[in-house]
Amino acid sequence: MSKTLLAGYFIWGVFFLILFCLRPGSVLHTITIEAKSRNARWLSLFTLAMTILLCVLPMSLSPSYNGEKPDYMNQYELLTESFLEGHLYIDYDDIDPKLIALDNPYDPEAREAADVSFHWDHAFYNGHYYMYFGVVPVFLLFLPYRLLTGMSLTTYHATQIFTALFIAGVFSLFYMLGKTFFKKLSLGLYLTLSTAFSVISVWYAVSAPALYCTAISAAVCMEIWSFFFFIRAVFVCETDRVSIRYAFFGSLTGALAFGCRPPIALANLFVLPLLAVYLKNRKFTFRLGKQLLFAASPYVAVGVLLMLYNYARFDNPFEFGQAYQLTIADQSHYGSFFYRFQPLKTFDSICNFFVGYTPMSDQFPFVSFDGILLNFPILALPFFGIASEGVRGEMREHRLTRCITALFCIPLLIAFADVLWAPTVLERYHMDVYWIICLLCFLIAGLYYQNLAPKTARRFSCLLSIWAFLNTCKCVLLFLVPYDYNFTFYYVQALEKIRKILMLGRGVGLY
């Protein structure tokens, strides 16, 4: 028997084994999330570990992202060296004088007409190149690694670390939400939703891990843990003293997200409904005011540092470098809201962001990049679940109405920021909101589950678990689409081998 057949039988065997484990009569749909058994704990840890490995191991496959052909993808590594040398710009020694001489170096047509040599997708200001991507990963990973080992951290490794921490955050947050708001939730539904929503949130980073997705994965990592700390502070902690400590770490991680990718950091608005819940039925005192100021202090400290960093580079505390990008479009005027905002065009772009449709490919792996809700229809579940009176009743009982309303609104705000300030909305921008819609979906599914009779609950757990698993499988297919210099973009022959494996050796060609 050939290796192709063996690999195919193994993959399909794992596929059907998981489906068998999720069958209607499976014990996974009867054991609750609060199960105390050692087997349940080990299964949870095993699922978490397998989810992390599924996401981080393939990140090393593409030479454009694994350091073999770094091109402009090594900006984090170069900026780390710049900091050690005592300056904020990336020290290139090949700055083209024609670039400096241009009246508007940010106009791609002017650069092409002048035959200018330049470094792609950098910020350029006052004769120096800068990195406009969020600087926080440099301080969290790149500098410590460089100082401890004397070597540069290859950028995709940082994405692997942030992705692993994000997935751990998803499993931790969902477990806490389950124990707090829907204790009857089945273990199977918790594990399949945690896995699916983790993979959905980061699948694009698995395909193209360096630079762009380093900033994105760092931001979603900071935000998922910010949500964990804030929700624990408001709904779990029994004393104000402990709540304020958790809120402090929620503020710290939330503030750091602004230094990774600002659009994702708009999710910090979730703090407002949480604060309203926390203050309700509490008498506001001077002592409580001091505690809240302490909890919020990281926002002030990190905000001031980021503004000083921006001012030192671009003479503007609110400029992160977007206006000075050398890329596909002249973005020097993008800082003006009225320059960019066109109501009909913006509305159409937001609609495409969520429900844009691309005809299905007739080539393996037979999937295409659509809007968020068409990529993963499971994420439309909250829009149907919220219609249930039982769900709305659970929301009121658990004081979640404001929070869930915010989770519906924040993705729209982030999408608005993305379409307004980006020349082209690419698939990776969907990562800005996948994670928050996944959180909303988990909450609505859990609240809906609470109102079901035991027999109906088992069926619901089975059906939704299988749907979640199939969405995870679709992420694998999307990873295989040749796109953005990813693995299959470089190695079409590998795509053909994968197709033969999945088809158990059948078929003669890729096209």
Side-chain angles (χ1 to χ4, degrees), residues 336-359:
S336 170
F337 174 84
F338 295 102
Y339 176 84
R340 290 290 296 167
F341 180 63
Q342 302 173 39
L344 292 179
K345 183 179 179 181
T346 301
F347 176 76
D348 179 65
S349 297
I350 292 175
C351 289
N352 284 326
F353 193 91
F354 289 99
V355 293
Y357 172 72
T358 303

Side-chain angles (χ1 to χ4, degrees), residues 173-174 176-183 227-228 230-236 269-278 280-281 382 386 389-410 439-451:
L173 176 59
F174 285 6
M176 182 178 67
L177 290 173
K179 291 196 67 174
T180 304
F181 300 120
F182 19 90
K183 294 184 168 91
F227 275 43
F228 174 87
F230 276 128
I231 291 173
R232 188 174 184 86
V234 173
F235 292 105
V236 179
L269 291 171
F270 188 64
V271 174
L272 298 178
L274 287 174
L275 182 62
V277 172
Y278 183 77
K280 190 175 182 180
N281 301 326
I386 198 70
E389 176 57 39
V391 170
R392 296 197 300 274
E394 291 285 341
M395 286 165 54
R396 291 190 292 269
E397 179 181 345
H398 293 295
R399 302 176 295 161
L400 287 172
T401 302
R402 291 188 182 93
C403 297
I404 288 178
T405 301
L407 291 177
F408 272 103
C409 296
I410 290 173
L439 171 58
L440 174 62
C441 191
F442 181 80
L443 278 169
I444 296 296
L447 295 174
Y448 184 81
Y449 187 92
Q450 284 293 100
N451 289 274

Side-chain angles (χ1 to χ4, degrees), residues 11-27:
I11 291 173
W12 284 109
V14 171
F15 177 84
F16 286 111
L17 175 62
I18 294 175
L19 288 181
F20 177 77
C21 292
L22 298 177
R23 70 192 186 280
S26 172
V27 69

